[in-house]
Amino acid sequence: MFDGGTAGGGAHVKCKRTEDATHRETHNARMGETPIQLELQLSVKPLSQPESDRGLHPPPLLQLPHPTEDPPQVQQQIQLQPEQQQQQQLSESNSEHQAKPVWIKHRRLLLLLLGISFCAAMIGLFYYMHHNLYTKTNNHTGPVTPCLSPACQWASARLSSSADPFTQPCDYFLFTCESDRLTLDGGGRLRGQGIPGHPQNRMEKSTSPERRGKNEEKGGEREDKTMNRKALLLQNLRGTLETNNRPDGSAVQKAKRFYRSCLDTRSLDTPGAEPFLTLIQKLGGWAVSGHWNKTNFNSTLGLLMRDYATFPFFNLYVGKDPNETATGKSKRYIQIDQPDLLIPIQWNSKTQKSEAKTETLRPFLASCQRYLALLGALPGSSMIHVGTFISLSSELAVAASPLQHRLTKGQLHQRMTIKELQRQAPAVDWLGCLQAAFHPLALSEDDHVLLHNLPYIVQMSRIINKWLNKHELSTSGPLHTFMFLNLLHTLMPAMDSRFSQTAKNFSVALGNTDREAPRWKHCVLETERGFDSVLTHLLSERIAHREAEEIIQNIFSSIKSKLHELKWTEQTSFDLVMKKVQSLVPRLWTTTEISSEAELDLLFSKVTVSANSYFSNYIQLLSLWQKRRSKLLIEQTEDADILSLSPSLLGNELLFPMGIFIPPIFHPTYPRAMNYGAMGFLLAKDILHLLLPKIYSQSETVHAVGECVWAHYLTVTERAGRGGAFSLSAAQQQEVWVQYSALQVALQAYHQSLKQQPVDTSISGLSHTRLFLTSFSQINCDSDPFREFMPMEPSFLITVICAKSNLCSTGLQCSIKTQNSLQTC
């Protein structure tokens, strides 16, 4: 037994030493040698098995006699040993020759099995390494480096107090936006109310004090629960204006002093109406106060336009002609529009005319009487002035028309010279008034202007002439009363709170129940109107330009890749879109004109700001505003709009405003997963909306993805196959595709950034992918203009994107439906 075991062990050792040779021999055509066959046979047998199990028996020569046998028998066996040995050798030889066909028969199968096993092992090893790398890249389930910056600590506290989409998926993804979560207002200031090329769009500065705040203060009731992007930006600017931790230049000091004087409402109430009455006397007085010099109508109108940014009979803007913009021209023009009338009006679709709202006339009359009473008018005389004011306002209202009607009639951007305009509407001294409004610019009657409602301008001129020629009213000066009540509304934010309270009461009487915006927000907006370049400079100092540019470039690069993945309906559409996209240069929208505080100090050197008189400061503000308007008319460059919140196209540049790169949405010390999950998604969504407004008709993918995501939603909400389910419209499918694609683009951009810089930090110990998706969930209620087309809460997209295998390290198990059973969209 000892010898037999040694022989088997020796064969095994020999096989081990010849493994490499065996692999080489698998490629040979002839391998029939018996030693190799034996080596292979022995090598595949487990050494732990007993000999009997291995099927190997020692030859009879090696078998010892049993000790109970007699000596004669033993002697007989010894004598017969040579003969038996010969017979044994012959037997072994015969057995060996008989075994050869069996080995040859199974040799190829054994070698094939060995080859398959080797290949399977290599494939398994490769898969393991790739899966390990993919998991680390996408999930980062290993140890993560915590971010310990103050911004990260604040973010960690906020995340810990928010609902976690990975622990309560069903409740979380089906929640409503009324819950306590950060919500973002994706729209910027809505200027121009849809007029293409209008100065109140995102590329131009507004000159209307009321319009600028209407959309910003909308939704004030929910401010205690939620925050939108505009509110976040204003909070940031508020912190800048209220911080005094460094020596500031004179321009910065003036901006902060203006802001503080605006907050001091007590100083506004002390003088009452006296500041306004004093100003009226400087303008020649009016009949209401009892001292009127019967000043010329056009001279008074010119003064109101030049010094007080008040436009009673028409509005003035500065902007481009969209017909020229399409050809690459950037010249700006004076644009003349119908005014924002104080009297409430409505459009009568039957008569195709506007008219004063009958039900609002009584409260409107009461508010006008209250204004005159606060200004010291006697009750008997005030009724005459209020009556003529309402009558004149009603006549002007009939000539006005809504934007959509004017757009249908082709009344927008009608070009003519000032000389021709004078001929069409002679009651107004157009050249004199426009020269006053844009002082010190030199204008001539041959300069072109753009009109947005020429029929109104013509009718307005006739109405003014009629009232100027009413001799029986010459002592009451109805046109001056009309102009000064408009001036009152311009200056009301800087006057006694009794005036603003009267305006608020009238608003409530009209059915407006929105809560008034906090005073600090109003003061930040007013400060920006006059000191925008100062605030832009301060914000630029606090923005992480390098990090912002990096995420912009990565998101835009991922969007270009996404466009190649779409299934386009026709090659022409794809070529046009890609040509447009390839020509764009995305960048952060900054102002290069003002580069230092010294230049700012020089620019505001003639501005005086009092610490105790907000009324006089407000007059300075209106003067600054007028200078900004004149500057827009002569310059070709675009100043960065600090309050803009959406990317804009300017020539071949795709501009991203600085005001969106602020906490809590973005911070340079955040983990990149957090920045890409929130800011990356918002950027991608805004770009897709801007560049692909008609993508539904251009790509079949939009419909397929929209339906797939909707199928996920119906399954999870148990509405599939029930009558409560409804099909998505084209606009809804497009919005679902936009938001789902934006999330995919942001995630792809984040992975690309990890390839460039593999190291990233984390918050609260979350894996990077989970932190990315959790950060995205914090902006779930983004209230952009397209929100009405989103049929579900955007956070539900997390369940759809996590249906992709190996993406989310933590399975989103929902009590309604397991997400792993859903298809990948």
Side-chain angles (χ1 to χ4, degrees):
M1 294 294 291
F2 177 79
D3 291 337
T6 303
H12 179 73
V13 173
K14 183 178 180 181
C15 178
K16 288 293 183 180
R17 288 197 300 267
T18 59
E19 281 182 355
D20 293 337
T22 302
H23 287 296
R24 290 193 300 270
E25 289 164 0
T26 59
H27 301 284
N28 297 334
R30 299 179 59 188
M31 299 177 60
E33 293 82 352
T34 302
I36 296 176
Q37 296 167 2
L38 291 174
E39 288 170 6
L40 288 171
Q41 183 186 27
L42 294 174
S43 67
V44 299
K45 302 298 181 181
L47 294 178
S48 59
Q49 292 179 346
E51 292 293 339
S52 60
D53 293 339
R54 279 184 263 159
L56 296 176
H57 303 281
L61 176 66
L62 301 179
Q63 290 181 352
L64 298 178
H66 199 276
T68 59
E69 295 179 347
D70 325 358
Q73 293 175 334
V74 173
Q75 180 67 27
Q76 184 178 4
Q77 288 179 0
I78 293 174
Q79 291 176 354
L80 296 174
Q81 192 171 9
E83 182 179 349
Q84 292 174 347
Q85 185 174 359
Q86 293 177 359
Q87 294 176 354
Q88 179 68 25
Q89 290 175 351
L90 290 173
S91 175
E92 287 180 2
S93 178
N94 292 334
S95 300
E96 191 174 300
H97 286 291
Q98 292 174 359
K100 278 186 179 181
V102 177
W103 281 105
I104 292 174
K105 183 177 180 180
H106 296 285
R107 174 177 59 87
R108 296 182 182 276
L109 179 60
L110 290 172
L111 292 177
L112 179 62
L113 291 174
L114 284 174
I116 292 175
S117 301
F118 176 76
C119 292
M122 293 301 296
I123 293 174
L125 179 63
F126 175 79
Y127 175 79
Y128 172 78
M129 295 175 63
H130 178 268
H131 176 74
N132 223 23
L133 178 62
Y134 182 86
T135 302
K136 287 181 179 180
T137 303
N138 293 281
N139 297 324
H140 298 268
T141 55
V144 292
T145 303
C147 177
L148 302 177
S149 70
C152 285
Q153 293 176 6
W154 183 90
S156 178
R158 185 171 186 84
L159 289 180
S160 64
S161 63
S162 301
D164 184 2
F166 289 87
T167 58
Q168 298 173 325
C170 291
D171 296 338
Y172 184 90
F173 296 131
L174 305 180
F175 87 111
T176 63
C177 283
E178 298 301 323
S179 60
D180 293 336
R181 180 172 296 111
L182 171 68
T183 64
L184 306 175
D185 185 355
R189 58 182 90 183
L190 302 178
R191 306 176 183 173
Q193 302 179 0
I195 299 178
H198 197 284
Q200 284 191 331
N201 62 23
R202 291 170 182 158
M203 295 300 302
E204 317 263 9
K205 299 288 186 180
S206 170
T207 57
S208 172
E210 289 84 7
R211 289 186 182 182
R212 213 139 142 199
K214 287 180 181 177
N215 296 299
E216 294 154 3
E217 296 174 9
K218 191 175 182 179
E221 289 184 355
R222 292 171 52 190
E223 187 168 301
D224 57 336
K225 288 187 175 183
T226 61
M227 298 176 68
N228 54 50
R229 261 201 281 185
K230 176 57 68 66
L232 294 175
L233 175 57
L234 295 180
Q235 285 274 19
N236 187 280
L237 296 176
R238 176 190 184 184
T240 300
L241 291 171
E242 294 179 355
T243 300
N244 295 304
N245 55 3
R246 66 166 194 171
D248 296 319
S250 62
V252 175
Q253 290 178 8
K254 290 174 182 178
K256 291 183 176 181
R257 195 180 306 135
F258 178 90
Y259 172 75
R260 289 193 296 269
S261 69
C262 176
L263 291 177
D264 186 11
T265 55
R266 184 175 301 177
S267 65
L268 298 179
D269 294 339
T270 303
E274 190 59 35
F276 181 77
L277 293 174
T278 303
L279 175 61
I280 291 298
Q281 294 306 313
K282 291 181 179 179
L283 293 173
W286 65 331
V288 173
S289 63
H291 304 283
W292 179 37
N293 296 336
K294 295 188 178 181
T295 50
N296 178 267
F297 163 77
N298 276 293
S299 63
T300 302
L301 179 60
L303 288 175
L304 296 183
M305 295 169 64
R306 185 190 68 185
D307 297 333
Y308 306 104
T310 299
F311 308 93
F313 298 99
F314 51 86
N315 265 328
L316 288 185
Y317 306 111
V318 174
K320 301 173 184 177
D321 185 347
N323 299 319
E324 290 185 347
T325 304
T327 61
K329 296 182 180 180
S330 58
K331 178 179 173 59
R332 295 191 183 93
Y333 298 90
I334 296 173
Q335 306 200 20
I336 304 173
D337 199 357
Q338 65 186 34
D340 297 319
L341 295 171
L342 300 181
I343 188 171
I345 60 176
Q346 61 186 2
W347 177 251
N348 190 323
S349 57
K350 293 182 179 180
T351 62
Q352 292 291 291
K353 290 184 179 180
S354 296
E355 57 189 18
K357 293 183 179 180
T358 306
E359 65 274 14
T360 64
L361 290 180
R362 186 178 297 276
F364 183 64
L365 173 64
S367 64
C368 292
Q369 287 180 310
R370 175 61 175 166
Y371 291 140
L372 294 185
L374 292 173
L375 292 174
L378 298 176
S381 63
S382 66
M383 279 303 299
I384 298 176
H385 297 291
V386 170
T388 56
F389 173 73
I390 293 179
S391 179
L392 177 55
S393 299
S394 299
E395 289 187 38
L396 293 173
V398 173
S401 59
L403 174 65
Q404 189 59 42
H405 176 77
R406 287 179 280 152
L407 187 62
T408 304
K409 295 293 185 179
Q411 295 174 351
L412 303 181
H413 300 99
Q414 291 182 268
R415 182 196 296 261
M416 64 176 58
T417 63
I418 297 177
K419 182 178 182 180
E420 185 179 356
L421 176 60
Q422 187 67 54
R423 191 162 47 251
Q424 296 261 12
V428 176
D429 177 12
W430 290 103
L431 182 60
C433 286
L434 294 178
Q435 286 177 335
F438 292 95
H439 178 79
L441 299 183
L443 296 175
S444 71
E445 59 182 9
D446 294 325
D447 288 327
H448 285 86
V449 294
L450 300 179
L451 282 84
H452 295 293
N453 191 348
L454 180 59
Y456 167 83
I457 297 298
V458 173
Q459 182 63 19
M460 173 205 69
S461 175
R462 294 172 182 165
I463 294 172
I464 290 174
N465 270 328
K466 183 183 73 172
W467 284 84
L468 282 174
N469 295 325
K470 284 188 176 182
H471 300 289
E472 67 276 11
L473 297 175
S474 59
T475 56
S476 63
L479 292 175
H480 276 73
T481 297
F482 184 87
M483 289 189 288
F484 286 149
L485 283 178
N486 275 270
L487 177 63
L488 175 67
H489 275 76
T490 300
L491 299 176
M492 197 177 292
M495 293 178 57
D496 185 346
S497 61
R498 292 175 297 175
F499 289 94
S500 57
Q501 185 60 46
T502 301
K504 182 180 179 181
N505 294 339
F506 176 61
S507 179
V508 171
L510 296 181
N512 184 6
T513 58
D514 289 345
R515 190 176 62 183
E516 186 179 1
R519 182 69 183 179
W520 69 263
K521 180 182 289 188
H522 167 80
C523 292
V524 169
L525 290 172
E526 295 296 351
T527 305
E528 189 274 338
R529 287 174 60 196
F531 298 89
D532 63 316
S533 55
V534 176
L535 294 187
T536 300
H537 175 74
L538 292 176
L539 181 62
S540 179
E541 287 186 330
R542 302 175 66 174
I543 292 297
H545 290 250
R546 183 178 63 83
E547 289 80 0
E549 289 281 6
E550 177 183 304
I551 193 172
I552 287 173
Q553 298 298 331
N554 285 340
I555 291 294
F556 190 69
S557 176
S558 295
I559 283 182
K560 289 193 289 187
S561 300
K562 187 70 175 178
L563 296 181
H564 285 281
E565 299 174 5
L566 296 179
K567 185 177 181 181
W568 295 82
T569 54
E570 54 182 18
Q571 186 66 29
T572 305
S573 298
F574 173 74
D575 293 340
L576 289 175
V577 170
M578 291 308 301
K579 181 180 179 180
K580 178 181 180 181
V581 171
Q582 294 293 352
S583 67
L584 294 177
V585 179
R587 69 173 179 87
L588 189 65
W589 191 8
T590 58
T591 298
T592 58
E593 179 184 341
I594 304 298
S595 59
S596 67
E597 285 196 357
E599 292 176 310
L600 286 172
D601 294 344
L602 180 61
L603 181 65
F604 289 90
S605 59
K606 297 182 179 180
V607 177
T608 58
V609 179
S610 170
N612 302 316
S613 178
Y614 182 56
F615 186 85
S616 63
N617 293 342
Y618 199 78
I619 299 297
Q620 292 272 332
L621 167 69
L622 298 177
S623 177
L624 291 173
W625 203 6
Q626 181 271 334
K627 291 179 180 179
R628 176 194 288 184
R629 187 171 55 246
S630 299
K631 179 183 174 183
L632 277 175
L633 190 59
I634 60 175
E635 292 189 354
Q636 300 301 316
T637 58
E638 289 284 355
D639 288 339
D641 184 357
I642 192 175
L643 294 183
S644 178
L645 294 170
S646 299
S648 304
L649 288 173
L650 180 62
N652 67 335
E653 289 187 315
L654 181 58
L655 303 177
F656 295 85
M658 293 184 295
I660 62 179
F661 294 96
I662 59 172
I665 309 173
F666 180 88
H667 196 275
T669 68
Y670 280 168
R672 278 173 292 151
M674 193 165 186
N675 281 334
Y676 277 85
M679 179 53 62
F681 167 77
L682 291 174
L683 292 180
K685 186 175 66 167
D686 288 343
I687 294 172
L688 292 173
H689 279 145
L690 183 64
L691 301 182
L692 303 174
K694 301 178 180 178
I695 187 61
Y696 182 84
S697 61
Q698 296 172 322
S699 172
E700 300 174 4
T701 308
V702 177
H703 171 78
V705 171
E707 289 299 319
C708 180
V709 174
W710 185 237
H712 275 242
Y713 185 76
L714 294 180
T715 301
V716 171
T717 57
E718 291 187 319
R719 295 168 64 183
R722 298 190 179 185
F726 59 90
S727 299
L728 299 183
S729 65
Q732 288 175 320
Q733 288 181 2
Q734 175 164 314
E735 186 59 22
V736 169
W737 177 86
V738 165
Q739 299 209 22
Y740 183 57
S741 298
L743 183 58
Q744 291 178 310
V745 163
L747 187 59
Q748 178 185 346
Y750 174 58
H751 289 164
Q752 184 63 34
S753 74
L754 285 179
K755 292 180 181 179
Q756 301 167 357
Q757 304 175 27
V759 179
D760 194 10
T761 58
S762 185
I763 290 179
S764 302
L766 298 178
S767 68
H768 293 155
T769 299
R770 181 168 173 177
L771 180 59
F772 172 95
L773 295 173
T774 302
S775 179
F776 158 72
S777 72
Q778 295 296 300
I779 59 169
N780 186 67
C781 295
D782 183 18
S783 301
D784 63 19
F786 301 91
R787 175 170 174 74
E788 62 179 299
F789 300 114
M790 189 64 177
M792 66 194 73
E793 295 305 331
S795 63
F796 180 79
L797 298 175
I798 296 178
T799 64
V800 184
I801 205 168
C802 281
K804 185 175 182 180
S805 178
N806 300 323
L807 181 60
C808 301
S809 58
T810 303
L812 294 178
Q813 301 297 327
C814 184
S815 60
I816 302 174
K817 186 74 176 178
T818 301
Q819 299 306 312
N820 292 337
S821 64
L822 298 174
Q823 60 176 319
T824 299
C825 295

